[in-house]
Amino acid sequence: MRILICQPASSWSTADVGRGYSEALKRAGHTVQDWRFDRRLNLMAKALDLPSTDESLITISYHASRMLVEDVVDFVPDFVLMVSGLVFHPAGLQLVTKLQVPIVSIFTESPYNIEDEEYFSRFINLVATNDGQAAKEKGWLHLPPSYDPAIHYPGLSIAKRKHDVVFTGTAWPERVKTFSSINWEGIDFGLYGLWPDPDNVTTFERPPVQRPNLQSNKVWEDMYKVCAKHIAGSLTSPDQTLHLYRGSKICINDHRSHPTATSLGPRVYEVLAVGGGLLLTDYREEIEELLGPLWLDFVYKDPADLERKIRYYLNNDEARNYLVEYGKQRVSGQTFDARVKTLVEHIQQRGWLAEDARAQAHGDSTIWQPSTFETPLSISAGLQA
């Protein structure tokens, strides 16, 4: 099949998911064209020269999203695959449906952004999601997170710094609270990802996510500064992350909290597949099926339990190495290639390539459409950006 993939607006994190699906589809023999939405957004932002506001993002997305239809016309895909897609403007999707080209979306932010995903699903012919509970409730296809066998595999680490314990991710409040509650004395703990400069007080005026139970900014600032002592780097490429996992003794996964979430994050699959550091993770329901009878050995229930397990496994190489090998065997086969097989089979079973299956979706893009646009975009402006 011919598949045009609209890659995420982000150039990291969800971008790894988009790349994973793209490469797996190519390995399966499909003809794939990657459409880099992040680059179109950057181009449009430069061309329009608008202030950095939420209102400007809507305008920028509106025009960047409408560019997709040109490549759909040129490439003539059997379907368009949207990865994440929550920043993509529905007006661009409506242009694609006018061409009677089916649109598939793989949501990556369930259940955290479930309301946004429900809205966007009205423009999509087939919806898949990373979260099992969301799939069950909404009737969507469940495609769990996975690992890329071309990237996540065992080997020697060439990381410049090898840690006892490592975590790569964003400074969500629940993570800050967990990591600041641990006594790290005698442990080399490395934090990587989106961890802002602790000396910039504006960092704490608006925490990365607002939650009803979030503590005062002063308490937040004090907790964050405990974590900041362990910041060892910023965003890492997939290759850098690979070597951090290979070179560390323990790799932590700490999910963003949500009352209905049941599925594991991609980090769980990646750490297990790399087979370097031992995975220690908080609980999600799917961990029991993935790791079988020994799942409790990988899971911590609170910061005190995490610290206890860290110190135990750092002092017991044999137990740690056994669980690393066990986890590697348990996660085997949970790849993007397996998810692609499920996706393609689902599409083929539904007769998606039949002409009468290419009906227009029924969403209303005017809800999202900017009400005013005072900076017309000319072709020359787009070329000069």
Side-chain angles (χ1 to χ4, degrees):
M1 289 190 291
R2 296 176 63 83
I3 305 164
L4 190 151
I5 302 181
C6 179
Q7 296 288 356
S10 172
S11 56
W12 65 86
S13 187
T14 52
D16 295 338
V17 179
R19 176 197 44 73
Y21 273 101
S22 176
E23 294 304 314
L25 284 164
K26 293 172 186 175
R27 288 193 292 267
H30 301 287
T31 302
V32 175
Q33 177 172 317
D34 290 305
W35 196 82
R36 291 287 300 273
F37 187 39
D38 60 329
R39 293 178 180 175
R40 267 74 175 190
L41 287 171
N42 290 335
L43 171 68
M44 198 58 63
K46 292 178 181 178
L48 300 179
D49 192 26
L50 295 175
S52 179
T53 64
D54 291 343
E55 291 76 15
S56 295
L57 175 59
I58 294 175
T59 301
I60 292 167
S61 176
Y62 174 78
H63 289 276
S65 300
R66 288 169 62 89
M67 297 169 71
L68 175 64
V69 71
E70 296 181 10
D71 289 87
V72 172
V73 171
D74 287 342
F75 185 64
V76 193
D78 290 304
F79 66 88
V80 171
L81 176 61
M82 310 285 300
V83 179
S84 188
L86 295 185
V87 180
F88 198 90
H89 199 292
L93 299 178
Q94 288 193 320
L95 290 178
V96 175
T97 59
K98 287 182 179 180
L99 298 175
Q100 295 188 329
V101 176
I103 303 172
V104 179
S105 183
I106 301 176
F107 289 145
T108 62
E109 304 307 306
S110 302
Y112 312 109
N113 297 96
I114 193 67
E115 292 182 358
D116 293 333
E117 291 176 339
E118 282 186 289
Y119 168 73
F120 274 86
S121 70
R122 289 180 283 175
F123 301 88
I124 308 299
N125 300 91
L126 174 64
V127 176
T129 178
N130 60 292
D131 186 71
Q133 185 63 28
K136 182 179 179 180
E137 291 179 357
K138 308 301 178 185
W140 298 340
L141 176 65
H142 183 207
L143 293 177
S146 45
Y147 69 91
D148 187 340
I151 294 179
H152 306 112
Y153 59 91
L156 297 176
S157 174
I158 58 172
K160 293 181 179 179
R161 182 176 173 184
K162 298 178 176 64
H163 301 276
D164 292 331
V165 182
V166 73
F167 175 81
T168 60
T170 299
W172 299 109
E174 52 266 64
R175 293 172 178 170
V176 172
K177 185 176 181 180
T178 294
F179 298 152
S180 65
S181 300
I182 293 175
N183 176 13
W184 295 104
E185 184 177 356
I187 300 172
D188 181 357
F189 176 41
L191 279 172
Y192 295 81
L194 287 175
W195 292 80
D197 180 4
D199 294 325
N200 182 358
V201 294
T202 60
T203 296
F204 310 105
E205 293 178 1
R206 184 183 179 187
V209 63
Q210 299 287 352
R211 302 271 170 81
N213 63 345
L214 193 64
Q215 296 164 299
S216 70
N217 282 356
K218 180 63 171 68
V219 175
W220 161 263
E221 181 174 350
D222 290 343
M223 289 192 300
Y224 188 87
K225 287 186 176 180
V226 172
C227 296
K229 298 175 183 178
H230 303 283
I231 296 176
S234 55
L235 292 170
T236 56
S237 68
D239 187 63
Q240 290 172 322
T241 304
L242 166 69
H243 288 285
L244 284 172
Y245 290 165
R246 285 179 177 178
S248 301
K249 295 178 181 178
I250 293 174
C251 302
I252 297 177
N253 173 70
D254 194 79
H255 293 97
R256 293 161 58 188
S257 63
H258 193 280
T260 69
T262 61
S263 294
L264 303 165
R267 191 182 298 105
V268 169
Y269 295 85
E270 295 166 1
V271 170
L272 291 171
V274 168
L278 170 65
L279 170 73
L280 290 181
T281 180
D282 57 342
Y283 179 79
R284 284 285 175 86
E285 186 177 313
E286 290 182 1
I287 197 72
E288 297 185 35
E289 180 180 355
L290 178 64
L291 292 178
L294 298 184
W295 69 269
L296 278 169
D297 294 328
F298 295 82
V299 173
Y300 58 87
K301 59 184 179 181
D302 54 36
D305 189 38
L306 175 57
E307 181 177 344
R308 183 184 65 81
K309 280 185 165 65
I310 287 173
R311 293 190 180 277
Y312 173 79
Y313 288 123
L314 287 179
N315 291 320
N316 289 271
D317 293 350
E318 184 176 355
R320 187 181 72 247
N321 293 335
Y322 175 83
L323 289 177
V324 168
E325 186 61 30
Y326 173 86
K328 187 171 61 176
Q329 294 175 6
R330 291 290 305 189
V331 82
S332 178
Q334 302 288 334
T335 62
F336 282 107
D337 303 82
R339 308 297 182 244
V340 159
K341 182 179 179 181
T342 299
L343 177 64
V344 171
E345 288 177 350
H346 195 81
I347 291 172
Q348 292 175 336
Q349 288 171 3
R350 290 176 50 161
W352 256 53
L353 301 186
E355 191 66 30
D356 60 358
R358 301 188 178 195
Q360 291 188 18
H362 56 276
D364 181 7
S365 70
T366 59
I367 299 174
W368 224 66
Q369 202 168 15
S371 57
T372 59
F373 181 60
E374 300 176 352
T375 312
L377 173 67
S378 66
I379 294 177
S380 60
L383 293 175
Q384 293 170 1

